[in-house]
Amino acid sequence: MTAGDGRTVHVVLVTYGEPPTPAFAGHLAYSWRILLGLTRTIADIPRPLLPLIALARARTRNRTWTAEGYGSPLEALTARQAARVRAALSEARADVHWEVHVAYEFREPLLANAIAGLPAGDEVVVVPMYAAESAFTHALSRATVEAFVRANPRPAPIRVLPALDAEVLGEASARHVLALTEDDGRWRGPGTAVVLAAHGTLLEPKRRVDNGLAATEALIAAIRRRLAPCFGLVVPGWLNHVRGGRWTEPAADETLRQVAAAGLSRVVYFPFGFLADNAESQLEGRVALRSQPRLEARHLPCLNDSPLLVDALAGEVARSVSPSARE
C-alpha cells in the first residue's frame, strides 16, 4: 500500500501564536485575545479594565521589542516543525496520507478556524506545542476543540494529544543540552551551572485550575537527573509576571544571582519550558543574563525543529491514529 491509499489524517500543531514583529496593532490584538481567552478564566478582572490592560501590554511589548531590535522566530520555527513532523510521519507510516497544519490559540489562523477548513470525514490530531500540561496550555486546545465539536458535529474524530511524557521530553532536552555543550570543555564540569528556564505560574490562583507546576517540576527532575553528572549545578529559574499574587520561586534573575554567589563562573541557560524559541525564551533570557555580567553565558536555543523533538512528536501522533487507518 502506498501513501494516500489509506485514510487522510490531518495533524494541527498549535501554539499561542505571538506576533512576529514589534508592530503595536498585532500585539494589541494578541493581548486582547489572551485576556478574553485565558486571563479572565483564572482571574477576576472587571470587563471595563480589559481594554486598558490590553493597551498597556501592547504598548510595553511594542516598546521593548523595538528597543531590543527583536522579532519573534516562532512562526517560521512552527512552519519548519510542521514540515519535519510530516516527513517523519510519512516515513514511519506510509499507509496514511498525512497533512500537517499550523494554527494558533490567540491569532489567525485560530485553531477553531483551522479545523473548520478541514474535511469533516478526515481524522484530525491536534498537537499542542507546549512542554507541560496545564490550564494555560493543553487545556486551552481541548476546550476549543470541545466547543467546536459541540457546534459542528462531524463523523470523524478530533483528538487533542496530551503533553509528551516527562521522561521522553526530559531525555530529548538533556541530549539537546549535551550536544550543544560538547564542542568546548569549558561548558561542562563543576565550574558551570545549567539554568533551566520556564514560564512561571501563580502558586495560589484565585480560581482552582491546574497551574502546571507539578508537570513542569517532573520535567525539571527528568532533565536534572540526566545532566547533573556533567555540571556543577542544574537549577530552575522561573520567568514570572509581577502581578496577581505569589509566583514560582526562584525567579530567573534570582537563580543567576545564586549561581554567581556560589562561585561558578559560567552558566548554560536553557529555556526547557518551551518547545520553540519565542520572546520569553529569547528576549527575557537575554535581559535576565544581562543582570549578571560577571557570568560567562551560553544561551541555548529551544528544541525547535530538532530531530529529537520531531521524532518524539511524530511517534505520539502515529500511535494515536485510530486502528482503522492502519488497515
Side-chain angles (χ1 to χ4, degrees):
M1 182 177 287
T2 60
D5 290 338
R7 179 184 301 176
T8 294
V9 176
H10 298 270
V11 179
V12 183
L13 307 186
V14 59
T15 70
Y16 274 21
E18 69 180 6
T21 73
F24 176 80
H27 284 278
L28 179 60
Y30 180 68
S31 296
W32 177 254
R33 283 186 169 130
I34 285 181
L35 283 167
L36 291 179
L38 176 57
T39 308
R40 286 196 89 208
T41 66
I42 59 171
D44 295 317
I45 302 174
R47 191 172 183 88
L49 292 181
L50 295 179
L52 298 177
I53 296 172
L55 283 166
R57 287 182 176 180
R59 187 177 296 113
T60 297
R61 288 173 178 152
N62 167 259
R63 289 174 176 172
T64 303
W65 286 31
T66 300
E68 295 281 346
Y70 182 76
S72 174
L74 184 58
E75 185 174 279
L77 282 170
T78 307
R80 291 208 300 272
Q81 286 173 330
R84 293 192 175 185
V85 166
R86 185 183 185 283
L89 285 168
S90 296
E91 182 175 349
R93 291 284 307 280
D95 58 307
V96 175
H97 175 69
W98 299 98
E99 294 288 345
V100 182
H101 314 269
V102 171
Y104 304 113
E105 303 280 7
F106 301 117
R107 74 175 171 94
E108 295 289 351
L110 295 168
L111 177 56
N113 294 341
I115 295 172
L118 302 178
D122 288 348
E123 191 170 355
V124 177
V125 180
V126 175
V127 184
M129 298 293 283
Y130 312 115
E133 292 266 354
S134 78
F136 321 124
T137 57
H138 296 70
L140 291 174
S141 301
R142 289 194 191 97
T144 297
V145 168
E146 288 167 5
F148 177 85
V149 171
R150 282 196 301 271
N152 306 274
R154 46 186 284 137
I158 303 177
R159 296 181 183 84
V160 180
L161 291 193
L164 289 170
D165 178 79
E167 293 299 319
V168 172
L169 187 55
E171 175 70 16
S173 298
R175 288 174 60 190
H176 180 69
V177 171
L178 293 173
L180 294 177
T181 56
E182 67 182 358
D183 62 320
D184 186 337
R186 295 180 310 127
W187 296 103
R188 300 272 187 91
T192 300
V194 176
V195 171
L196 300 174
H199 193 299
T201 188
L202 283 170
L203 295 179
E204 298 176 351
K206 291 185 178 180
R207 299 182 183 176
R208 286 183 173 271
V209 296
D210 177 6
N211 65 5
L213 182 58
T216 308
E217 287 181 332
L219 180 53
I220 290 172
I223 299 172
R224 176 185 273 156
R225 189 165 60 251
R226 290 164 169 82
L227 294 183
C230 300
F231 299 92
L233 284 175
V234 182
V235 287
W238 300 96
L239 301 169
N240 292 328
H241 295 304
V242 296
R243 296 184 179 88
R246 181 170 165 243
W247 287 74
T248 36
E249 300 172 345
D253 55 350
E254 176 59 28
T255 295
L256 290 166
R257 280 194 291 270
Q258 292 173 6
V259 169
L264 283 77
S265 58
R266 290 174 297 278
V267 60
V268 173
Y269 183 93
F270 175 50
F272 80 101
F274 309 92
L275 298 186
D277 287 330
N278 56 37
E280 285 178 283
S281 72
Q282 291 187 326
L283 185 54
E284 292 188 27
R286 181 192 307 175
V287 173
L289 289 167
R290 282 205 301 251
S291 71
Q292 292 297 324
R294 290 180 299 171
L295 287 173
E296 188 179 3
R298 177 170 281 195
H299 189 161
L300 301 187
C302 297
L303 285 167
N304 293 332
D305 53 350
S306 76
L308 297 167
L309 177 61
V310 167
D311 289 347
L313 291 172
E316 291 298 312
V317 171
R319 284 188 288 273
S320 75
V321 171
S322 60
S324 60
R326 301 182 183 183
E327 297 175 354

